[in-house]
């Protein structure tokens, strides 16, 4: 099958609309399907975020809008009911992490970019790739159905801790809603596994002539390492999901302890342990947060080099640090469980591994800054978002160091400090990576340019909005405000925090509104944007050698041949400030022309 994908003739067989755009096996269409669906889900998750902030900013206020949007049992004359609030929090987290960031960054950018950047015509297994996408909409439908079934959506958060998630009678959302949540996640995990198998095989098997692993663009390295991470971690969650379904419906007791009394009734479950779920969940959960951040790291490395007109600093260190982060992410999950009564010795071990992640993270940050050092920066929208990513990643990473220490974390656990930490380092940083990627590759994806002025306005409003929304959360957490509480103001000691909560809510509304600029720019550019040339950013990687947008099969009759690494920008003796990977070595000189030679042995770093 791999060889079929590699040799099949472009445009050889005419296809109808359905085969071409709906049930397509073309990696680019599948990538765009993943991307577009994720953007729609981002809107859903964003609306849920606004609902959370409405409740926390003005608890008890009767919202006409809420009453209109959610009639029936969800609200009390426009005031969200407590279990509906928890359902909103659960669905917001679940949607943003699994159904927006994972799907957009891996499913979207991975599919679109991997074959193009390695000089292949498609993925190794195009049919499996199509299946991967087509599991995603059913997973969405099953998840969203949880809102409308009896009891509503689950209350147990994106982490679905038992016993709340294990006992249908525990809370309204613990009934059918929780079952749908589990089934939906199971379906989506299968989609991810199909995708990651495809990515790994494709990168290993279908690289064009001259494209050694040490000449892969960092964006492709990031996708490759992410796929390995997904392949090794998601099956653990799949197993846990199935075990939890068994506990709920087949009478097993993996996660439910003996002697539980719910609603005056002694349960028959015996001998399970809720902590087992926490171990299994976080064995996926921590790698998952890196599944969300590695692809943006790749995107940002690419954007900084292209729009800074400089070779990426420390290519090899970049690859190695991504590998180190991926490896370490499997041995730190216990930092989510410091307060679960774990042996202090084990806690210390998890602290050491956790803090060790700061080293490769710092290597990457240093290398990005070194890439920017004395760069001839073009302040495009993509570049602004890439620089913004570095800022957000550092801001969020620093608080990780506090949380990584068990003594400090005992105080911070389950407060807004943790919410601030992961909204900077994961949510916002990943979002900035996504935007940087969209602004950068939009011309290649759709053959048109986005409006740069609107893009820059979008950046500044988003950047300010993110800091205004999430930075004050550190102080809320320091003052002891717990996360996931319906109404923290019920507690005397938290009441003075109310004005700050209003500030955060107002900032988040501004942040949400600013995204409309992006939506407008995206939609308008899609139909009216100026036509994009083949290589509008004057970039070196292979995808910019294909037409914009690339045809089915990507390349004409001949596959591109690669002669160099992707970061030959601003070489002193070259005619232009960029030398595409397909340019024969040595560098075409200003005068005299270049003799053709075989692909040289030189690797990565200059
Ligand atoms: C040096 C780097 C980092 C360190 C030392 C660190 C440490 C920690 C610790 C100890 C916690 C648990 C806090 C608690 O629940 O009390 C935590 C939570 C979290 N971290 Fe990090 N982190 C780092 C980077 C990252 C990155 C890069 C991401 C994502 C891309 C991330 C995403 C998260 C998430 C999502 C949670 C909260 C999960 C939840 O409870 O819902 N962290 N981090
Ligand atoms: Cu973690």
């Amino acid at each position: 099958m791999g060889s079929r994908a590699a040799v099949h003739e472009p445009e050889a067989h005419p296809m109808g609309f359905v085969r071409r755009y709906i049930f397509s096996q073309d990696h680019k269409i599948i990538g765009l399907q993943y991307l577009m669906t994720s953007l729609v889900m981002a809107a859903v998750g964003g609306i849920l975020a606004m609902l959370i902030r409405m409740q926390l900013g003005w608890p008890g206020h009767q919202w006409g809008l809420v009453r209109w949007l959610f009639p029936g049992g969800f609200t009390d004359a426009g005031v969200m009911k407590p279990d509906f609030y928890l359902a909103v929090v659960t669905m917001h987290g679940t949607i943003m992490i699994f159904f927006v960031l994972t799907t957009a960054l891996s499913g979207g950018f991975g599919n679109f970019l991997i074959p193009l950047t390695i000089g292949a015509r498609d993925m190794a297994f195009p049919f499996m790739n199509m299946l991967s996408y087509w599991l995603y909409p059913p997973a969405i439908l099953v998840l969203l159905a949880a809102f409308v079934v009896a009891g509503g959506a689950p209350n147990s958060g994106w982490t679905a801790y038992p016993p709340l998630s294990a006992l249908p009678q525990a809370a309204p959302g613990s009934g059918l809603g929780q079952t749908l949540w589990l089934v939906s996640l199971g379906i989506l995990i299968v989609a991810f596994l199909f995708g990651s198998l495809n990515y790994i095989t494709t990168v290993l098997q279908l690289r064009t002539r001259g494209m050694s692993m040490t000449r892969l663009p960092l964006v492709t390295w990031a996708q490759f390492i992410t796929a390995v991470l997904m392949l090794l971690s998601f099956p653990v969650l799949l197993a846990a999901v199935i075990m939890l379904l068994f506990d709920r419906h087949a009478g097993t007791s993996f996660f439910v302890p003996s002697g539980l009394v719910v609603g005056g009734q002694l349960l028959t479950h015996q001998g399970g342990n809720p902590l087992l779920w926490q171990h299994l969940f976080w064995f996926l959960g921590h790698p998952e947060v890196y599944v969300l951040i590695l692809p943006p790291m790749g995107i940002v490395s690419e954007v900084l080099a292209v729009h800074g007109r400089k070779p990426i600093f420390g290519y090899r260190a970049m690859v190695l640090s991504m590998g180190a982060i991926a490896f370490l992410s499997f041995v730190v999950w216990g930092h989510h469980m410091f307060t679960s009564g774990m042996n202090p010795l084990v806690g210390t071990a998890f602290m050491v591994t956790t803090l060790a992640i700061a080293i490769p993270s710092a290597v990457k940050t240093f290398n990005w800054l070194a890439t920017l050092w004395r760069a001839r920066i073009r302040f495009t929208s993509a570049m602004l978002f890439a620089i913004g990513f570095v800022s957000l990643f550092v801001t969020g990473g620093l608080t990780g160091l506090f949380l990584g220490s068990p003594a400090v974390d005992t105080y911070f656990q389950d407060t807004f400090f943790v919410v601030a930490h992961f909204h900077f380092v994961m949510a916002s940083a990943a979002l900035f990576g996504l935007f940087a990627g969209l602004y950068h590759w939009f011309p290649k994806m759709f053959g048109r340019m986005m409006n740069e002025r609107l893009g820059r306005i979008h950046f500044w409003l988003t950047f300010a909005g993110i800091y205004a929304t999430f930075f004050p959360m550190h102080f809320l957490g320091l003052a002891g405000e717990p996360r996931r509480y319906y109404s923290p103001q019920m507690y005397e000691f938290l009441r003075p925090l109310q004005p700050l909560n209003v500030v955060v809510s107002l900032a988040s509304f501004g942040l949400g509104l600013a995204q409309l600029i992006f939506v407008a720019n995206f939609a308008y550019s899609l139909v009216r944007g100026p036509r994009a040339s083949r290589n509008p950013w004057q970039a070196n990687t292979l995808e910019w050698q294909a037409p914009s947008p690339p045809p089915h099969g990507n390349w004409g009759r001949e596959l591109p041949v690669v002669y160099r690494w992707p970061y030959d920008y601003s070489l002193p003796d070259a005619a232009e400030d960029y030398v595409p990977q397909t340019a024969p070595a040595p560098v075409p000189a200003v005068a005299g022309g270049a003799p053709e030679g075989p692909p040289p042995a030189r690797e990565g770093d200059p």
Side-chain angles (χ1 to χ4, degrees):
M1 212 170 175
S3 56
R4 200 199 69 166
V7 299
H8 84 223
E9 288 280 306
E11 307 290 3
H13 36 85
M15 286 180 295
F17 180 83
V18 171
R19 283 285 311 282
R20 187 179 279 263
Y21 294 111
I22 314 276
F23 295 106
S24 170
Q25 299 188 23
D26 184 320
H27 71 99
K28 298 181 294 297
I29 301 292
I30 296 173
L32 296 182
Q33 286 174 322
Y34 257 120
L35 205 57
M36 295 303 211
T37 317
S38 306
L39 291 179
V40 172
M41 289 308 284
V44 177
I47 290 170
L48 295 174
M50 299 298 113
L51 287 176
I52 298 175
R53 285 318 316 177
M54 282 156 81
Q55 167 64 19
L56 290 179
W58 301 270
H61 183 84
Q62 299 188 332
W63 300 90
L65 181 70
V66 174
R67 186 168 22 178
W68 178 74
L69 270 177
F70 300 97
F74 297 120
T75 64
D76 218 344
V79 183
M80 273 171 251
K81 288 183 178 170
D83 54 299
F84 179 63
Y85 171 78
L86 286 177
V88 168
V89 172
T90 301
M91 296 293 258
H92 164 71
T94 307
I95 287 174
M96 287 306 200
I97 290 177
F98 295 112
F99 289 79
V100 175
L101 291 175
T102 314
T103 48
L105 290 161
S106 285
F109 281 99
N111 265 312
F112 188 84
L113 288 177
I114 289 175
L116 277 169
T117 54
I118 65 172
R121 295 203 187 279
D122 209 314
M123 286 286 177
F125 312 116
F127 183 77
M128 193 162 90
N129 208 19
M130 177 181 77
L131 273 187
S132 164
Y133 172 74
W134 279 105
L135 287 171
Y136 175 31
I140 292 176
L141 291 180
V142 174
L143 184 78
L144 294 182
F147 267 127
V148 293
V149 298
N155 297 175
S156 55
W158 81 282
T159 52
Y161 280 8
L164 192 54
S165 59
L167 304 174
Q169 62 275 51
S174 300
L176 186 53
Q178 186 74 58
T179 302
L180 290 172
W181 187 94
L182 289 165
V183 171
S184 159
L185 227 62
I187 299 172
L188 193 65
I189 292 172
V190 176
F192 291 163
L193 295 179
F194 284 171
S196 40
L197 274 172
N198 231 330
Y199 294 4
I200 295 169
T201 316
T202 305
V203 171
L204 291 180
Q205 295 297 327
L206 297 187
R207 297 191 315 279
T208 189
R209 197 147 69 83
M211 180 61 90
S212 60
M213 287 301 272
T214 49
R215 285 176 177 165
L216 279 186
L218 288 173
V219 71
T220 316
W221 261 114
Q223 289 289 347
F224 176 69
I225 294 173
T226 303
V228 175
L229 217 53
M230 291 174 87
L231 192 64
L232 295 179
S233 62
F234 267 110
V236 178
L237 183 62
L238 185 57
V241 160
I242 293 171
M243 287 157 76
L244 190 52
L245 280 170
F246 275 14
D247 269 15
R248 294 169 55 81
H249 302 292
T252 58
S253 298
F254 292 111
F255 306 118
V256 190
S258 321
L260 268 192
V261 178
V262 178
Q265 293 242 308
L266 180 66
L267 302 185
T268 52
H269 287 278
Q270 278 193 348
N273 189 343
L275 283 183
L276 175 61
W277 170 269
Q278 297 194 20
H279 281 292
L280 295 176
F281 183 88
W282 288 116
F283 190 81
L284 156 94
H286 191 85
E288 166 67 4
V289 305
Y290 285 94
V291 164
L292 299 188
I293 210 69
L294 286 171
M297 285 175 164
I299 288 172
V300 164
S301 303
E302 223 53 46
V303 170
L304 290 183
V306 173
H307 299 258
R309 318 308 292 164
K310 264 190 68 183
I312 193 82
F313 187 88
Y315 173 91
R316 241 172 252 233
M318 288 302 228
V319 175
L320 286 177
S321 54
M322 280 196 282
I325 287 174
F327 171 77
L328 284 172
S329 74
F330 282 105
V331 290
V332 301
W333 80 91
H335 65 216
H336 297 276
M337 302 170 62
F338 283 146
T339 58
S340 67
M342 88 176 17
N343 182 322
L345 203 61
V346 181
T348 307
F350 277 123
M351 175 184 78
V352 171
T353 52
T354 298
L355 298 187
I357 292 203
I359 299 169
S361 305
V363 168
K364 298 199 73 73
T365 305
F366 174 78
N367 285 358
W368 287 319
L369 296 180
T371 305
L372 287 172
W373 178 252
R374 296 199 164 164
R376 290 184 294 121
I377 297 177
R378 298 174 178 170
F379 285 102
T380 53
S381 313
M383 185 61 156
L384 289 172
F385 273 104
I387 297 172
F389 168 94
V390 178
S391 161
L392 294 170
F393 183 70
V394 171
T395 305
L398 285 176
T399 50
L401 296 179
F402 296 89
L403 296 173
S405 151
V408 183
D409 183 62
T410 306
Y411 183 73
F412 284 146
Q413 160 84 80
D414 268 341
T415 68
F416 262 83
F417 194 86
V418 177
V419 179
H421 161 68
F422 70 79
H423 276 90
F424 271 107
V425 79
M426 177 175 68
S428 310
L431 191 69
F432 271 48
L434 182 65
F435 280 134
L438 281 172
Y439 282 108
H440 182 74
W441 278 288
F442 187 92
K444 188 53 63 184
M445 291 173 168
F446 303 107
R448 292 181 185 270
M449 305 298 289
M450 285 185 83
N451 183 304
E452 277 295 319
R453 173 192 282 265
L454 283 180
R456 282 192 290 266
I457 297 173
H458 172 226
F459 166 78
W460 283 111
L461 291 178
T462 306
F463 189 71
I466 292 269
Y467 269 94
T469 302
F470 296 113
F471 206 80
M473 289 188 186
H474 293 111
F475 303 113
L476 295 175
L478 279 165
E481 179 168 330
R483 65 193 285 205
R484 293 183 185 168
Y485 273 30
Y486 167 66
S487 191
Q489 302 74 16
M490 305 224 339
Y491 300 91
E492 184 71 43
F493 79 105
L494 294 176
R495 221 162 284 157
L497 299 177
Q498 197 46 31
L500 197 53
N501 266 306
V502 172
V503 169
V504 169
S505 290
L506 290 175
S508 75
F509 298 158
L511 178 60
L513 286 179
Q515 304 319 304
L516 297 181
I517 300 175
F518 171 77
V519 174
N521 190 357
F522 190 88
Y524 183 83
S525 305
L526 215 52
V527 281
R528 283 288 159 78
R531 294 266 174 208
S533 63
R534 191 175 279 252
N535 192 359
W537 311 124
Q538 300 170 303
N540 289 343
T541 40
L542 289 183
E543 76 274 23
W544 300 104
Q545 299 295 318
S548 302
H552 185 57
N554 295 346
W555 321 101
R557 294 201 161 268
E558 302 282 331
L559 291 176
V561 177
V562 168
Y563 292 90
R564 60 186 65 245
W565 78 320
Y567 299 109
D568 277 338
Y569 291 103
S570 303
L571 290 190
D573 46 354
E576 306 210 55
D577 73 348
Y578 69 110
V579 188
Q581 288 191 276
T582 48
V587 181
V590 184
E596 188 126 346
R602 194 174 77 100
E603 297 192 332
D605 263 350

